[in-house]
Amino acid sequence: GSPSAAQGFRVQNMGNFSLTLPAPAPANGIRITGTNAADFVIQGVAPSGVLAAGASTATFNIVFTPGALGLRTANITVTWNNSDATMPPQSTSNYAIQGTGVQPLIEVREVSVGGVVVTNGQAAANGRAFGNQDISAGATAALTIVVRNTGGATMTVGLPTLAGANPGDFVLNTAGYLASIPIGSSTSFTVAFDPTVTGVRGATVTFTHNGANTASPFTFGVSGTGTTPAVEVHEVTTGGTLVTNGQTAANGRAFGSRDIAAGPSATLTIFVLNTGTASMTLGTPALGGTNP
């Protein structure tokens, strides 16, 4: 469906007598004939009129607009009237022309041109299912998405965008992304997960294209789970007496009376638990207050 660049042609009278090129018609003049004649068009009106011996017509242009894939053939057919009485009153010559109909084809993969294939409309899977990420830890490592043209014509692609339930929890980087992908070449962008709240988060990446092998726009899902750590402190065991933040000495932490000459009391074990859904970072316990 896309027109080629125009190719220029002339008809030259190589004989010793003038000839007449009638105006183009089904059986006269300069015209396109043959198997795929409809795929080739003469721009404007083909030259006509009397052509003296040795003279040439003005240049006329032909454009190829394939109607189907594969080799497409036709002829430039020239039928003229002879002024040389020794020749037939009318003569015809055919000059073969051809072109090949091609299309761009899209292929999308994770990480590299040899990575996991991403299909159009596919839900989050493989690297696009980012898993758990602490909501205070920033974005995950970026996942590269490669868009490749495996067809026989240049492919145009639109800029990827985020949509769906939670687009704000994902980050696209389209720096260097190409709008036009030559045959056999590729472009890429990255996506990362940066949750703002806890729980399952999802979005859809979408971009337009003119690849002939799948619908446009091309879409695929991304997902992740926002997590956060939670601290819980207990005496003696992980199921022992709960210690709250800022609480005064109580239970086992109220050690009672102790002879100053008797040495230390029995040790009290304090358990610190992470009851959340993300890794927790702890500082080293230290003593403070009046009598540390």
Side-chain angles (χ1 to χ4, degrees), residues 130-135 193 195 197-201 223-227 277:
F130 287 92
N132 294 340
Q133 179 71 1
D134 187 345
I135 61 173
F193 177 46
V197 297
T198 59
V200 176
R201 314 296 286 169
S223 70
T225 301
T227 60
T277 52

Side-chain angles (χ1 to χ4, degrees), residues 253 255 270 284-292:
R253 292 172 292 110
F255 286 90
I270 303 294
T284 302
L287 288 164
T290 305
N291 311 117

Side-chain angles (χ1 to χ4, degrees), residues 9-14 19-34 42 46-49 51 55-58 60 62 74-82 89-97:
F9 298 87
R10 294 182 303 152
V11 174
Q12 185 174 6
N13 180 1
M14 301 297 290
L19 57 83
T20 301
L21 288 169
N28 283 301
I30 302 171
R31 60 202 189 279
I32 304 295
T33 63
I42 297 175
S48 61
L51 198 59
S56 300
T57 67
F60 59 95
I62 295 178
N75 295 303
I76 303 172
T77 297
V78 183
T79 300
W80 68 92
N81 299 324
N82 291 305
Q90 193 174 66
S91 298
T92 298
S93 294
N94 291 299
Y95 305 93
I97 53 176

Side-chain angles (χ1 to χ4, degrees), residues 84-110:
D84 182 358
T86 65
M87 297 285 289
Q90 193 174 66
S91 298
T92 298
S93 294
N94 291 299
Y95 305 93
I97 53 176
Q98 68 179 43
T100 301
V102 295
Q103 291 177 313
L105 302 174
I106 189 171
E107 182 181 84
V108 180
R109 293 180 182 260
E110 294 183 3

Side-chain angles (χ1 to χ4, degrees), residues 148-165:
R148 187 182 180 197
N149 178 9
T150 62
T154 298
M155 183 169 66
T156 57
V157 287
L159 197 67
T161 58
L162 286 164

Side-chain angles (χ1 to χ4, degrees), residues 164-236:
N166 313 117
D169 287 358
F170 297 85
V171 181
L172 284 179
N173 185 344
T174 57
Y177 184 78
L178 301 176
S180 180
I181 307 176
I183 300 166
S185 297
S186 63
T187 190
S188 66
F189 62 95
T190 65
V191 59
F193 177 46
D194 188 7
T196 56
V197 297
T198 59
V200 176
R201 314 296 286 169
T204 301
V205 177
T206 181
F207 59 91
T208 59
H209 67 93
N210 69 335
N213 54 331
T214 192
S216 180
F218 195 102
T219 65
F220 60 82
V222 289
S223 70
T225 301
T227 60
T228 186
V231 67
E232 194 172 279
V233 180
H234 292 260
E235 292 183 2
V236 184

